[in-house]
Amino acid sequence: DGGITQSPKYLFRKEGQNVTLSCEQNLNHDAMYWYRQDPGQGLRLIYYSQIVNDFQKGDIAEGYSVSREKKESFPLTVTSAQKNPTAFYLCASRGTGDREQYFGPGTRLTVT
Amino acid sequence: AQSVSQHNHHVILSEAASLELGCNYSYGGTVNLFWYVQYPGQHLQLLLKYFSGDPLVKGIKGFEAEFIKSKFSFNLRKPSVQWSDTAEYFCAVTDSWGKLQFGAGTQVVVTP
């Protein structure tokens, strides 16, 4: 089955630690996106990548980093510089010429 | 920069009542419009989308939305809601670059 997988579903970390969230897709999509969801704020774009080895900052990139070494994978690192990292993180992908994004199941990160 | 505004943050209504959720966007160019739904504990799902053509679009589960270009609006409607429609609803807009901009979301609670 084609789709987007994010793992793990729940992640707990201590403050001051970097943590990497996984996002994998087997849809052969070129573009991939990371969003953060907070209550009452909808989804906000963190980073996006239109093609392998290239990525751009979204609206709230501070404290995050990404890489895009493979077409299938777009991991997101939440660094210790992110002031409020506890949130629900969603990954999405989009095929070239497609106007719709497809979302993964999300990872809920809790930092204490 | 484009923005998306959803008029209500919380809506409570009884089963069989009609639902209308407002969505306005600010963007002067060609847009693609979406409504997503997130049921409790579930993935973000696409309810319906508008790219071009008939401004009245029908989606899944009896939902429909009307694009009114002159009002920059894309309101979601359902004539008769069910308890299972309890969810959070997000309006979203993309520009030609494919970046999704989400509204803050509307939490809908349907009481039996």
Side-chain angles (χ1 to χ4, degrees):
Chain A
D1 283 332
I4 303 173
T5 56
Q6 292 184 245
S7 59
K9 189 172 181 179
Y10 298 96
L11 192 53
F12 298 89
R13 279 294 182 272
K14 294 288 186 187
E15 201 173 304
Q17 293 179 333
N18 291 355
V19 58
T20 298
L21 281 59
S22 164
C23 177
E24 304 278 330
Q25 54 97 1
N26 61 3
L27 300 167
N28 199 34
H29 286 171
D30 283 313
M32 296 187 74
Y33 306 80
W34 273 106
Y35 295 89
R36 171 185 169 134
Q37 185 178 5
D38 296 282
Q41 296 193 60
L43 282 73
R44 293 177 291 167
L45 181 64
I46 304 172
Y47 266 98
Y48 65 103
S49 168
Q50 303 278 35
I51 199 166
V52 174
N53 292 322
D54 186 51
F55 49 82
Q56 285 82 40
K57 293 182 179 180
D59 299 322
I60 54 164
E62 186 175 347
Y64 299 97
S65 66
V66 293
S67 63
R68 187 84 188 278
E69 296 174 4
K70 298 188 298 182
K71 189 175 188 177
E72 304 80 22
S73 178
F74 191 41
L76 173 74
T77 297
V78 185
T79 75
S80 56
Q82 168 48 234
K83 292 188 173 69
N84 188 17
T86 294
F88 188 55
Y89 291 88
L90 283 161
C91 178
S93 71
R94 179 177 63 86
T96 302
D98 197 347
R99 285 178 275 192
E100 181 181 340
Q101 292 183 21
Y102 299 85
F103 284 84
T107 293
R108 186 165 298 280
L109 173 65
T110 302
V111 176
T112 57
Chain B
Q2 58 189 10
S3 66
V4 179
S5 174
Q6 291 185 236
H7 304 167
N8 308 94
H9 291 301
H10 291 93
V11 171
I12 301 174
L13 61 169
S14 302
E15 275 190 311
S18 64
L19 172 70
E20 180 159 1
L21 302 181
C23 173
N24 286 91
Y25 64 93
S26 64
Y27 184 67
T30 302
V31 292
N32 303 304
L33 298 156
F34 305 84
W35 274 98
Y36 286 89
V37 61
Q38 192 171 36
Y39 298 102
Q42 293 191 28
H43 298 194
L44 201 66
Q45 299 176 37
L46 181 68
L47 262 184
L48 47 78
K49 58 192 175 187
Y50 174 79
F51 297 154
S52 63
D54 188 343
L56 185 62
V57 293
K58 296 193 183 300
I60 61 171
K61 306 190 181 190
F63 285 90
E64 64 179 31
E66 185 175 13
F67 170 54
I68 303 179
K69 190 174 181 180
S70 61
K71 295 185 178 180
F72 296 89
S73 71
F74 190 55
N75 293 353
L76 180 71
R77 297 193 291 253
K78 185 169 183 178
S80 176
V81 295
Q82 301 171 316
W83 176 79
S84 58
D85 292 321
T86 294
E88 191 159 17
Y89 293 81
F90 296 95
C91 181
V93 175
T94 64
D95 59 15
S96 54
W97 295 101
K99 287 169 57 180
L100 261 176
Q101 187 76 34
F102 283 85
T106 299
Q107 183 67 51
V108 174
V109 175
V110 179
T111 59

